[in-house]
Amino acid sequence: MAATKRIKRALVSVYHKEGLDEILKKLHSEGVTFVSTGGTQTFIESLNIPCDAVEDLTGYPSILGGRVKTLHPKVFGGILNRRDNEGDKAQIAEYEIPEIDLVIVDLYPFEETVASGAEEQAIIEKIDIGGISLIRAAAKNFKDVVIVASKAQYQPLMQVLNEKGAETSLEDRKWFAKEAFAVSSGYDSAIFNYFDGGEGSHFRAAVDQPMHLRYGENPHQAAKYYGKFNDMFDQIHGKEISYNNLLDIDAAVSLIDEFDELTFAILKHNNACGIASRPTVLEAWKEALAGDPVSAFGGILITNSAIDKEVAEEINKIFFEVIIAPEYTKDALEVLMQKKNRIILVRKEAKTCPMQFRSLLNGALMQEKDLSIQTAADLEPMTDKQPSAQETEDLLFANKLVKHSKSNAITLVKNKQLCASGIGQTSRVDSLKQAIEKANAFEFDLKGAVMASDAFFPFPDCVEIADKAGITAVIQPGGSVNDKLSVDYCNEHGLAMVKTGVRHFKH
């Protein structure tokens, strides 16, 4: 069997016709004949190109409201017959089945119909049967047949036709088959996920056009992002998004979504190094920066309020990689765009995935996102002393921050401002000492501050260290067999302690 094959007959049945006319004209000039259905046949004939109807080939009309058009042995036999198989050749001749060498087909817009909020029956009708069957059949028989399964492959097909006429190599046909199976598998994944309703009973995901990143976590690592970044953000300025940028952007969005009041946060390596809630954006920015003006260098900035010129001029004084806000005034953008590489993102109203995935070993982990947000009603007193109203606000603020900090994590908060955090240490005591040392370095008065821990205290050492630093209230999950040791210390020294019953480990 020669690896090079000539296209003599093409079956064309498509939903998207943009860009198809040039392909059809080129094929016609090469002597290719056409068979088609309904609207596509009309489109082909409008180009003054002869086209046979599938109904004339099969002897059956389109039935069941268009659900059955191409599902017939004379169509699939023409596609699936093996040109070098004597038995296939004999049957093709016996049943007068014409060979089909090229299939151009696409699928009903299922995902778009789901996204439009259509009724279930309308969605079900967009589950393609004939199209998906044609794609699989032609791709299976790639040794003899070319399959174009999406408008995304129109241009590659046109390139082959311009270079080789109606001749294709085995490598060409195998490439188109590979792309076809990408289309079919993605389509089936979308349908499954619709029926699954987000329950994650099976892991199915497909993205056709990944975002190509400059490099991975380090320059020697290649990287792509499989997602719909543009559904969540408009990038209006700056260089290409990197792998590490994406990690920080994800962490920033997850953190800021914890806060209903006006808040500004600065993140570095996925952890908040400064954050504050204040009545104005300018105040929130200044207090967030005060938390750690050193670590803020090269960080990621995010706020849940609009950025105006006054704020832009203040934040423009430091170097940062990315800024995210729901809106910017025109004169604010004029200031922020002075740095050509600075990434400026406008956040859109879009849902994030409720699940988390992580590849490891020879598989992937999946879990629900930690979307638990504790309120004052969820706090259970552990000590004789109760936290004041201000301390309760700060405890809840600190608890949100510790949830988004790498374990072992400790956060110190006063007046809804992060004073310091200790993160990523193998010992909780080391995390607390790190936080206190940093707070002191930036001249925070910790007297009256509160402390949050992402896990319980098995010993009273942390509350003792916190007490000596001036901290007056503590929030923790509770649940240690030795809770009483920490409670006894707090009672003896006048600290308030509450528990949430919810552990917030983050690795």
Side-chain angles (χ1 to χ4, degrees):
M1 179 187 70
T4 299
K5 298 282 184 177
R6 182 163 187 83
I7 300 170
K8 299 182 288 295
R9 181 179 288 105
L11 169 62
V12 186
S13 181
V14 298
Y15 190 90
H16 297 99
K17 299 174 180 65
E18 304 86 354
L20 185 62
D21 53 347
E22 292 303 315
I23 292 172
L24 296 172
K25 291 174 184 177
K26 177 64 176 175
L27 289 168
H28 179 57
S29 73
E30 295 286 340
V32 176
T33 60
F34 296 94
V35 60
S36 188
T37 60
T40 306
Q41 181 185 357
T42 302
F43 177 76
I44 295 172
E45 291 173 340
S46 73
L47 301 173
N48 296 316
I49 298 174
C51 181
D52 296 329
V54 166
E55 290 92 334
D56 295 336
L57 173 64
T58 64
Y60 280 88
S62 173
I63 63 173
L64 307 182
R67 283 187 165 196
V68 180
K69 290 181 286 192
T70 57
L71 295 168
H72 192 278
K74 282 208 169 183
V75 174
F76 283 87
I79 295 169
L80 283 165
N81 79 90
R82 294 157 289 189
R83 275 58 163 177
D84 61 346
N85 184 291
E86 293 302 323
D88 286 6
K89 289 163 70 173
Q91 287 190 316
I92 287 293
E94 179 183 358
Y95 296 111
E96 300 180 342
I97 299 175
E99 292 181 343
I100 296 172
D101 312 298
L102 167 64
V103 175
I104 303 178
V105 64
D106 59 11
L107 301 172
Y108 295 149
F110 179 83
E111 286 185 275
E112 293 88 336
T113 306
V114 173
S116 73
E119 296 289 334
E120 181 178 62
Q121 189 54 44
I123 292 170
I124 297 304
E125 288 305 315
K126 288 298 185 286
I127 298 177
D128 207 312
I129 303 301
I132 202 80
S133 301
L134 291 168
I135 288 170
R136 291 180 64 84
K140 176 176 181 174
N141 203 25
F142 69 89
K143 288 186 177 180
D144 297 306
V145 179
V146 180
I147 173 62
V148 175
S150 162
K151 64 179 180 179
Q153 279 108 57
Y154 287 179
Q155 186 56 42
L157 175 63
M158 194 67 210
Q159 183 176 343
V160 170
L161 295 174
N162 285 332
E163 291 176 0
K164 304 176 182 179
E167 301 284 341
T168 62
S169 68
L170 180 62
E171 291 74 17
D172 293 330
R173 297 190 298 278
K174 193 168 186 178
W175 182 87
F176 280 106
K178 181 253 304 183
E179 292 298 307
F181 283 122
V183 170
S184 65
S185 61
Y187 195 73
D188 284 340
S189 294
I191 294 169
F192 162 75
N193 287 323
Y194 168 74
F195 279 95
D196 195 46
E199 292 193 9
S201 61
H202 303 278
F203 179 35
R204 299 288 186 274
V207 180
D208 291 330
Q209 295 179 320
M211 180 191 294
H212 292 267
L213 307 176
R214 294 198 304 275
Y215 50 78
E217 199 164 6
N218 298 289
H220 61 276
Q221 296 170 269
K224 299 176 184 177
Y225 170 64
Y226 290 91
K228 298 179 179 178
F229 187 82
N230 292 334
D231 285 357
M232 288 198 64
F233 304 98
D234 283 328
Q235 181 175 353
I236 56 178
H237 186 72
K239 60 185 178 182
E240 185 182 19
I241 302 285
S242 74
Y243 179 97
N244 290 327
N245 289 155
L246 284 172
L247 291 177
D248 282 326
I249 290 167
D250 176 66
V253 167
S254 296
L255 175 60
I256 206 71
D257 282 352
E258 300 273 352
F259 298 90
D260 294 324
E261 57 192 317
L262 196 158
T263 302
F264 210 121
I266 308 167
L267 289 89
K268 197 74 171 289
H269 302 301
N270 314 153
N271 295 292
C273 57
I275 182 170
S277 295
R278 291 292 184 269
T280 69
V281 185
L282 185 61
E283 290 175 273
W285 160 250
K286 289 182 176 179
E287 298 291 0
L289 180 62
D292 188 344
V294 175
S295 295
F297 182 87
I300 307 294
L301 313 186
I302 188 167
T303 182
N304 52 12
S305 188
I307 301 279
D308 60 21
K309 183 180 181 181
E310 185 180 17
V311 176
E313 288 175 337
E314 285 297 317
I315 63 179
N316 198 46
K317 294 176 181 178
I318 72 164
F319 167 71
F320 59 90
E321 288 268 358
V322 181
I323 184 166
I324 308 166
E327 186 181 351
Y328 305 83
T329 62
K330 182 179 178 180
D331 48 6
L333 287 176
E334 290 174 356
V335 174
L336 295 173
M337 287 180 176
Q338 292 172 7
K339 305 291 185 181
K340 69 175 184 178
N341 287 329
R342 177 180 289 158
I343 296 168
I344 303 175
L345 300 177
V346 178
R347 189 178 177 191
K348 302 178 183 178
E349 289 290 336
K351 291 182 180 179
T352 57
C353 178
M355 308 302 291
Q356 287 179 316
F357 304 91
R358 179 173 177 173
S359 63
L360 80 171
L361 301 177
N362 62 349
L365 285 172
M366 180 178 75
Q367 69 170 353
E368 295 177 343
K369 282 186 177 178
D370 184 357
L371 300 177
S372 172
I373 300 178
Q374 283 69 57
T375 66
D378 299 311
L379 305 184
E380 182 180 339
M382 300 181 73
T383 54
D384 297 334
K385 182 181 177 182
Q386 305 291 302
S388 66
Q390 179 61 57
E391 286 173 331
T392 298
E393 281 195 339
D394 285 344
L395 288 169
L396 293 171
F397 189 98
N399 195 51
K400 291 176 180 179
L401 301 187
V402 84
K403 169 182 169 182
H404 293 275
S405 302
K406 303 291 186 185
S407 300
N408 286 314
I410 293 286
T411 56
L412 307 180
V413 166
K414 188 175 181 179
N415 297 326
K416 290 189 282 189
Q417 176 189 24
L418 176 63
C419 300
S421 60
I423 50 177
Q425 302 301 308
T426 53
S427 161
R428 197 163 304 280
V429 171
D430 288 343
S431 292
L432 176 55
K433 289 179 177 178
Q434 179 190 67
I436 292 172
E437 182 180 353
K438 179 174 280 192
N440 290 335
F442 293 117
E443 299 182 350
F444 279 102
D445 179 5
L446 291 178
K447 186 176 181 181
V450 306
M451 173 177 73
S453 171
D454 61 357
F456 55 62
F457 301 121
F459 305 104
D461 43 12
C462 281
V463 291
E464 182 177 352
I465 295 168
D467 174 42
K468 291 177 179 177
I471 290 162
T472 56
V474 178
I475 186 169
Q476 59 135 329
S480 169
V481 295
N482 289 325
D483 272 349
K484 188 174 184 299
L485 297 176
S486 295
V487 171
D488 287 345
Y489 181 92
C490 289
N491 282 333
E492 184 178 347
H493 294 84
L495 276 73
M497 179 185 285
V498 297
K499 67 178 181 179
T500 64
V502 180
R503 190 174 68 178
H504 288 301
F505 272 152
K506 188 167 185 281
H507 295 287

